[in-house]
Amino acid sequence: MTASLTFPLIGNRLAMLLVCASLVGCGSLSGFSSDTLKPYVPEVVQGNFVSKEQRQALTLGMARAQVRDILGTPLVTSLFHADRWDYAFSIRRQGVPPQSFQLTVFFKGDVVSSIEGGDLPSESEFVERLAVQRKASTVPNLQASDEDLKKFPVQKAPGEAARTAPLPTSYPPLEPAPR
């Protein structure tokens, strides 16, 4: 009969301990930042980045090989549209809005007939868009004044007295003398 009475008492005590521990844990959540509990989102980069400078290097009448030298291999080529090369680029990074750019080059025969595409950024503009703006944290003052340093007592190292003794002029050999 006593065994049946002690089990509910132990269970009640464990439940109270669990409730108290969880309340204490809730009080320490203020130390977490907003990024602490966010899931990791991998960076997704697809396609060929084409800059404004590369677009400006293209001219009507260029050969396919010249276009490939400037822009690289197209992302999309189709057997049904052999006279069209599509260059698409998209990037998604955590903390930065997604970006996507597209450029289409049309050919007649083996020569560029027209070029279509949205507003492409220059290389420097694209790099600026990739930069994640982080909040500047306050850096504590890391310089101590003479008064601050005087607050701490200077302790001598244990072997410092031995260091003041003169050093021997010669040392014993490391290897025995040959016989």
mmCIF file of all heavy atoms in Angstrom, residues 34-69:
data_model
loop_
_atom_site.group_PDB
_atom_site.id
_atom_site.type_symbol
_atom_site.label_atom_id
_atom_site.label_comp_id
_atom_site.label_asym_id
_atom_site.label_seq_id
_atom_site.Cartn_x
_atom_site.Cartn_y
_atom_site.Cartn_z
ATOM 1 N N SER A 34 17.164 37.003 -33.775
ATOM 2 C CA SER A 34 16.088 36.570 -34.669
ATOM 3 C C SER A 34 16.560 35.488 -35.636
ATOM 4 O O SER A 34 15.754 34.747 -36.176
ATOM 5 C CB SER A 34 15.543 37.767 -35.443
ATOM 6 O OG SER A 34 16.569 38.311 -36.257
ATOM 7 N N ASP A 35 17.874 35.375 -35.862
ATOM 8 C CA ASP A 35 18.396 34.371 -36.783
ATOM 9 C C ASP A 35 18.674 33.032 -36.114
ATOM 10 O O ASP A 35 19.040 32.074 -36.781
ATOM 11 C CB ASP A 35 19.691 34.870 -37.430
ATOM 12 C CG ASP A 35 19.457 36.017 -38.382
ATOM 13 O OD1 ASP A 35 18.303 36.168 -38.826
ATOM 14 O OD2 ASP A 35 20.405 36.753 -38.680
ATOM 15 N N THR A 36 18.516 32.945 -34.804
ATOM 16 C CA THR A 36 18.897 31.737 -34.090
ATOM 17 C C THR A 36 18.062 30.537 -34.498
ATOM 18 O O THR A 36 18.574 29.451 -34.684
ATOM 19 C CB THR A 36 18.776 31.968 -32.572
ATOM 20 O OG1 THR A 36 19.585 33.089 -32.223
ATOM 21 C CG2 THR A 36 19.245 30.751 -31.808
ATOM 22 N N LEU A 37 16.778 30.709 -34.647
ATOM 23 C CA LEU A 37 15.902 29.581 -34.908
ATOM 24 C C LEU A 37 15.445 29.488 -36.361
ATOM 25 O O LEU A 37 14.540 28.741 -36.677
ATOM 26 C CB LEU A 37 14.684 29.649 -33.980
ATOM 27 C CG LEU A 37 15.019 29.633 -32.486
ATOM 28 C CD1 LEU A 37 13.769 29.830 -31.651
ATOM 29 C CD2 LEU A 37 15.730 28.354 -32.098
ATOM 30 N N LYS A 38 16.074 30.245 -37.269
ATOM 31 C CA LYS A 38 15.713 30.178 -38.679
ATOM 32 C C LYS A 38 16.375 28.958 -39.312
ATOM 33 O O LYS A 38 17.518 28.643 -39.017
ATOM 34 C CB LYS A 38 16.193 31.424 -39.430
ATOM 35 C CG LYS A 38 15.336 32.630 -39.207
ATOM 36 C CD LYS A 38 15.789 33.754 -40.103
ATOM 37 C CE LYS A 38 14.934 34.973 -39.909
ATOM 38 N NZ LYS A 38 15.412 36.084 -40.723
ATOM 39 N N PRO A 39 15.675 28.280 -40.211
ATOM 40 C CA PRO A 39 16.307 27.147 -40.890
ATOM 41 C C PRO A 39 17.319 27.642 -41.915
ATOM 42 O O PRO A 39 17.228 28.758 -42.425
ATOM 43 C CB PRO A 39 15.137 26.448 -41.583
ATOM 44 C CG PRO A 39 14.131 27.527 -41.780
ATOM 45 C CD PRO A 39 14.288 28.468 -40.609
ATOM 46 N N TYR A 40 18.292 26.793 -42.226
ATOM 47 C CA TYR A 40 19.296 27.129 -43.227
ATOM 48 C C TYR A 40 18.672 27.037 -44.612
ATOM 49 O O TYR A 40 18.023 26.059 -44.956
ATOM 50 C CB TYR A 40 20.489 26.179 -43.130
ATOM 51 C CG TYR A 40 21.484 26.383 -44.233
ATOM 52 C CD1 TYR A 40 22.302 27.505 -44.255
ATOM 53 C CD2 TYR A 40 21.593 25.471 -45.272
ATOM 54 C CE1 TYR A 40 23.209 27.710 -45.276
ATOM 55 C CE2 TYR A 40 22.495 25.663 -46.288
ATOM 56 C CZ TYR A 40 23.300 26.780 -46.282
ATOM 57 O OH TYR A 40 24.194 26.980 -47.292
ATOM 58 N N VAL A 41 18.863 28.056 -45.401
ATOM 59 C CA VAL A 41 18.371 28.063 -46.781
ATOM 60 C C VAL A 41 19.606 28.116 -47.679
ATOM 61 O O VAL A 41 20.363 29.084 -47.648
ATOM 62 C CB VAL A 41 17.460 29.289 -47.045
ATOM 63 C CG1 VAL A 41 17.004 29.312 -48.483
ATOM 64 C CG2 VAL A 41 16.284 29.285 -46.098
ATOM 65 N N PRO A 42 19.839 27.071 -48.476
ATOM 66 C CA PRO A 42 21.043 27.061 -49.304
ATOM 67 C C PRO A 42 20.958 28.096 -50.425
ATOM 68 O O PRO A 42 19.877 28.461 -50.877
ATOM 69 C CB PRO A 42 21.080 25.645 -49.875
ATOM 70 C CG PRO A 42 19.677 25.182 -49.821
ATOM 71 C CD PRO A 42 19.038 25.869 -48.645
ATOM 72 N N GLU A 43 22.119 28.545 -50.849
ATOM 73 C CA GLU A 43 22.203 29.498 -51.951
ATOM 74 C C GLU A 43 21.967 28.741 -53.254
ATOM 75 O O GLU A 43 22.531 27.676 -53.468
ATOM 76 C CB GLU A 43 23.587 30.122 -51.957
ATOM 77 C CG GLU A 43 23.807 31.151 -53.006
ATOM 78 C CD GLU A 43 25.166 31.803 -52.869
ATOM 79 O OE1 GLU A 43 25.469 32.314 -51.789
ATOM 80 O OE2 GLU A 43 25.901 31.781 -53.855
ATOM 81 N N VAL A 44 21.118 29.286 -54.115
ATOM 82 C CA VAL A 44 20.810 28.644 -55.390
ATOM 83 C C VAL A 44 21.239 29.589 -56.512
ATOM 84 O O VAL A 44 20.708 30.693 -56.641
ATOM 85 C CB VAL A 44 19.295 28.324 -55.506
ATOM 86 C CG1 VAL A 44 18.993 27.682 -56.847
ATOM 87 C CG2 VAL A 44 18.851 27.442 -54.365
ATOM 88 N N VAL A 45 22.204 29.138 -57.299
ATOM 89 C CA VAL A 45 22.698 29.913 -58.440
ATOM 90 C C VAL A 45 22.493 29.068 -59.684
ATOM 91 O O VAL A 45 22.921 27.923 -59.738
ATOM 92 C CB VAL A 45 24.195 30.246 -58.288
ATOM 93 C CG1 VAL A 45 24.689 31.050 -59.468
ATOM 94 C CG2 VAL A 45 24.452 30.980 -56.995
ATOM 95 N N GLN A 46 21.809 29.639 -60.687
ATOM 96 C CA GLN A 46 21.543 28.907 -61.920
ATOM 97 C C GLN A 46 21.830 29.794 -63.118
ATOM 98 O O GLN A 46 21.464 30.960 -63.122
ATOM 99 C CB GLN A 46 20.084 28.446 -61.980
ATOM 100 C CG GLN A 46 19.732 27.437 -60.922
ATOM 101 C CD GLN A 46 18.275 27.032 -60.982
ATOM 102 O OE1 GLN A 46 17.422 27.853 -61.277
ATOM 103 N NE2 GLN A 46 17.993 25.781 -60.698
ATOM 104 N N GLY A 47 22.473 29.217 -64.100
ATOM 105 C CA GLY A 47 22.659 29.908 -65.366
ATOM 106 C C GLY A 47 23.982 30.627 -65.500
ATOM 107 O O GLY A 47 24.897 30.455 -64.711
ATOM 108 N N ASN A 48 24.066 31.461 -66.541
ATOM 109 C CA ASN A 48 25.258 32.237 -66.865
ATOM 110 C C ASN A 48 24.966 33.709 -66.583
ATOM 111 O O ASN A 48 24.013 34.259 -67.132
ATOM 112 C CB ASN A 48 25.606 32.131 -68.352
ATOM 113 C CG ASN A 48 25.667 30.716 -68.853
ATOM 114 O OD1 ASN A 48 24.980 29.844 -68.374
ATOM 115 N ND2 ASN A 48 26.495 30.497 -69.851
ATOM 116 N N PHE A 49 25.803 34.333 -65.761
ATOM 117 C CA PHE A 49 25.622 35.766 -65.544
ATOM 118 C C PHE A 49 26.171 36.528 -66.741
ATOM 119 O O PHE A 49 27.307 36.311 -67.164
ATOM 120 C CB PHE A 49 26.330 36.229 -64.264
ATOM 121 C CG PHE A 49 26.314 37.709 -64.099
ATOM 122 C CD1 PHE A 49 25.129 38.373 -63.802
ATOM 123 C CD2 PHE A 49 27.454 38.466 -64.273
ATOM 124 C CE1 PHE A 49 25.090 39.747 -63.679
ATOM 125 C CE2 PHE A 49 27.428 39.837 -64.136
ATOM 126 C CZ PHE A 49 26.247 40.476 -63.834
ATOM 127 N N VAL A 50 25.344 37.398 -67.301
ATOM 128 C CA VAL A 50 25.750 38.247 -68.422
ATOM 129 C C VAL A 50 25.682 39.688 -67.933
ATOM 130 O O VAL A 50 24.629 40.153 -67.495
ATOM 131 C CB VAL A 50 24.827 38.043 -69.652
ATOM 132 C CG1 VAL A 50 25.242 38.976 -70.780
ATOM 133 C CG2 VAL A 50 24.867 36.603 -70.094
ATOM 134 N N SER A 51 26.800 40.386 -67.987
ATOM 135 C CA SER A 51 26.850 41.758 -67.493
ATOM 136 C C SER A 51 26.520 42.755 -68.607
ATOM 137 O O SER A 51 26.454 42.410 -69.788
ATOM 138 C CB SER A 51 28.242 42.063 -66.933
ATOM 139 O OG SER A 51 29.190 42.058 -67.975
ATOM 140 N N LYS A 52 26.329 43.993 -68.192
ATOM 141 C CA LYS A 52 26.044 45.074 -69.150
ATOM 142 C C LYS A 52 27.231 45.259 -70.102
ATOM 143 O O LYS A 52 27.049 45.507 -71.293
ATOM 144 C CB LYS A 52 25.791 46.366 -68.375
ATOM 145 C CG LYS A 52 25.380 47.533 -69.250
ATOM 146 C CD LYS A 52 25.272 48.826 -68.457
ATOM 147 C CE LYS A 52 24.117 48.771 -67.508
ATOM 148 N NZ LYS A 52 23.883 50.056 -66.809
ATOM 149 N N GLU A 53 28.446 45.081 -69.582
ATOM 150 C CA GLU A 53 29.640 45.229 -70.413
ATOM 151 C C GLU A 53 29.696 44.152 -71.494
ATOM 152 O O GLU A 53 30.065 44.423 -72.634
ATOM 153 C CB GLU A 53 30.910 45.165 -69.552
ATOM 154 C CG GLU A 53 31.069 46.314 -68.578
ATOM 155 C CD GLU A 53 30.377 46.079 -67.233
ATOM 156 O OE1 GLU A 53 29.790 44.999 -67.029
ATOM 157 O OE2 GLU A 53 30.414 46.986 -66.392
ATOM 158 N N GLN A 54 29.323 42.916 -71.142
ATOM 159 C CA GLN A 54 29.308 41.841 -72.131
ATOM 160 C C GLN A 54 28.241 42.108 -73.197
ATOM 161 O O GLN A 54 28.463 41.867 -74.383
ATOM 162 C CB GLN A 54 29.040 40.491 -71.457
ATOM 163 C CG GLN A 54 30.195 39.984 -70.630
ATOM 164 C CD GLN A 54 29.805 38.744 -69.852
ATOM 165 O OE1 GLN A 54 28.784 38.714 -69.184
ATOM 166 N NE2 GLN A 54 30.644 37.719 -69.942
ATOM 167 N N ARG A 55 27.092 42.603 -72.773
ATOM 168 C CA ARG A 55 26.007 42.915 -73.715
ATOM 169 C C ARG A 55 26.448 44.000 -74.697
ATOM 170 O O ARG A 55 26.138 43.951 -75.890
ATOM 171 C CB ARG A 55 24.753 43.327 -72.932
ATOM 172 C CG ARG A 55 23.647 44.012 -73.715
ATOM 173 C CD ARG A 55 23.086 43.107 -74.798
ATOM 174 N NE ARG A 55 22.070 43.759 -75.584
ATOM 175 C CZ ARG A 55 22.292 44.398 -76.724
ATOM 176 N NH1 ARG A 55 23.505 44.499 -77.202
ATOM 177 N NH2 ARG A 55 21.300 44.942 -77.392
ATOM 178 N N GLN A 56 27.166 44.988 -74.195
ATOM 179 C CA GLN A 56 27.615 46.077 -75.050
ATOM 180 C C GLN A 56 28.674 45.616 -76.053
ATOM 181 O O GLN A 56 28.849 46.231 -77.099
ATOM 182 C CB GLN A 56 28.160 47.229 -74.198
ATOM 183 C CG GLN A 56 27.074 47.944 -73.421
ATOM 184 C CD GLN A 56 27.627 48.944 -72.415
ATOM 185 O OE1 GLN A 56 28.816 48.964 -72.126
ATOM 186 N NE2 GLN A 56 26.736 49.763 -71.865
ATOM 187 N N ALA A 57 29.372 44.517 -75.738
ATOM 188 C CA ALA A 57 30.393 43.999 -76.658
ATOM 189 C C ALA A 57 29.768 43.275 -77.853
ATOM 190 O O ALA A 57 30.433 43.083 -78.867
ATOM 191 C CB ALA A 57 31.337 43.055 -75.916
ATOM 192 N N LEU A 58 28.492 42.877 -77.723
ATOM 193 C CA LEU A 58 27.822 42.197 -78.837
ATOM 194 C C LEU A 58 27.374 43.212 -79.885
ATOM 195 O O LEU A 58 26.890 44.283 -79.552
ATOM 196 C CB LEU A 58 26.591 41.431 -78.333
ATOM 197 C CG LEU A 58 26.827 40.284 -77.371
ATOM 198 C CD1 LEU A 58 25.494 39.682 -76.960
ATOM 199 C CD2 LEU A 58 27.711 39.231 -77.998
ATOM 200 N N THR A 59 27.531 42.845 -81.146
ATOM 201 C CA THR A 59 27.049 43.697 -82.246
ATOM 202 C C THR A 59 26.331 42.821 -83.257
ATOM 203 O O THR A 59 26.564 41.610 -83.337
ATOM 204 C CB THR A 59 28.220 44.425 -82.944
ATOM 205 O OG1 THR A 59 29.143 43.451 -83.424
ATOM 206 C CG2 THR A 59 28.917 45.397 -82.012
ATOM 207 N N LEU A 60 25.455 43.441 -84.016
ATOM 208 C CA LEU A 60 24.763 42.715 -85.073
ATOM 209 C C LEU A 60 25.782 42.309 -86.131
ATOM 210 O O LEU A 60 26.704 43.061 -86.452
ATOM 211 C CB LEU A 60 23.665 43.579 -85.680
ATOM 212 C CG LEU A 60 22.560 44.032 -84.724
ATOM 213 C CD1 LEU A 60 21.556 44.919 -85.453
ATOM 214 C CD2 LEU A 60 21.856 42.842 -84.113
ATOM 215 N N GLY A 61 25.625 41.119 -86.661
ATOM 216 C CA GLY A 61 26.538 40.629 -87.686
ATOM 217 C C GLY A 61 27.685 39.792 -87.137
ATOM 218 O O GLY A 61 28.515 39.318 -87.914
ATOM 219 N N MET A 62 27.758 39.605 -85.812
ATOM 220 C CA MET A 62 28.823 38.780 -85.227
ATOM 221 C C MET A 62 28.537 37.306 -85.496
ATOM 222 O O MET A 62 27.391 36.888 -85.593
ATOM 223 C CB MET A 62 28.902 38.979 -83.706
ATOM 224 C CG MET A 62 29.461 40.292 -83.267
ATOM 225 S SD MET A 62 29.522 40.383 -81.471
ATOM 226 C CE MET A 62 31.189 39.896 -81.195
ATOM 227 N N ALA A 63 29.582 36.524 -85.568
ATOM 228 C CA ALA A 63 29.442 35.083 -85.775
ATOM 229 C C ALA A 63 29.095 34.390 -84.452
ATOM 230 O O ALA A 63 29.320 34.946 -83.373
ATOM 231 C CB ALA A 63 30.739 34.503 -86.334
ATOM 232 N N ARG A 64 28.554 33.171 -84.536
ATOM 233 C CA ARG A 64 28.190 32.407 -83.337
ATOM 234 C C ARG A 64 29.405 32.165 -82.444
ATOM 235 O O ARG A 64 29.308 32.226 -81.221
ATOM 236 C CB ARG A 64 27.579 31.060 -83.732
ATOM 237 C CG ARG A 64 26.190 31.149 -84.281
ATOM 238 C CD ARG A 64 25.682 29.741 -84.613
ATOM 239 N NE ARG A 64 24.467 29.806 -85.397
ATOM 240 C CZ ARG A 64 23.271 29.474 -84.928
ATOM 241 N NH1 ARG A 64 23.144 29.041 -83.706
ATOM 242 N NH2 ARG A 64 22.216 29.565 -85.704
ATOM 243 N N ALA A 65 30.532 31.866 -83.050
ATOM 244 C CA ALA A 65 31.746 31.599 -82.269
ATOM 245 C C ALA A 65 32.162 32.836 -81.474
ATOM 246 O O ALA A 65 32.613 32.725 -80.323
ATOM 247 C CB ALA A 65 32.875 31.154 -83.186
ATOM 248 N N GLN A 66 32.010 34.022 -82.051
ATOM 249 C CA GLN A 66 32.351 35.250 -81.336
ATOM 250 C C GLN A 66 31.406 35.477 -80.159
ATOM 251 O O GLN A 66 31.829 35.892 -79.080
ATOM 252 C CB GLN A 66 32.310 36.445 -82.290
ATOM 253 C CG GLN A 66 33.399 36.434 -83.333
ATOM 254 C CD GLN A 66 33.203 37.547 -84.358
ATOM 255 O OE1 GLN A 66 32.083 37.796 -84.816
ATOM 256 N NE2 GLN A 66 34.299 38.198 -84.704
ATOM 257 N N VAL A 67 30.121 35.196 -80.358
ATOM 258 C CA VAL A 67 29.143 35.347 -79.276
ATOM 259 C C VAL A 67 29.472 34.370 -78.152
ATOM 260 O O VAL A 67 29.446 34.715 -76.975
ATOM 261 C CB VAL A 67 27.701 35.131 -79.797
ATOM 262 C CG1 VAL A 67 26.709 35.128 -78.653
ATOM 263 C CG2 VAL A 67 27.347 36.192 -80.818
ATOM 264 N N ARG A 68 29.820 33.146 -78.511
ATOM 265 C CA ARG A 68 30.177 32.144 -77.500
ATOM 266 C C ARG A 68 31.441 32.558 -76.752
ATOM 267 O O ARG A 68 31.566 32.307 -75.553
ATOM 268 C CB ARG A 68 30.358 30.780 -78.154
ATOM 269 C CG ARG A 68 30.633 29.686 -77.133
ATOM 270 C CD ARG A 68 30.615 28.304 -77.720
ATOM 271 N NE ARG A 68 29.228 27.864 -77.792
ATOM 272 C CZ ARG A 68 28.708 27.199 -78.799
ATOM 273 N NH1 ARG A 68 29.445 26.886 -79.840
ATOM 274 N NH2 ARG A 68 27.450 26.828 -78.800
ATOM 275 N N ASP A 69 32.393 33.198 -77.431
ATOM 276 C CA ASP A 69 33.602 33.677 -76.757
ATOM 277 C C ASP A 69 33.283 34.760 -75.734
ATOM 278 O O ASP A 69 33.900 34.823 -74.675
ATOM 279 C CB ASP A 69 34.611 34.222 -77.769
ATOM 280 C CG ASP A 69 35.271 33.119 -78.582
ATOM 281 O OD1 ASP A 69 35.228 31.944 -78.146
ATOM 282 O OD2 ASP A 69 35.839 33.439 -79.647
#
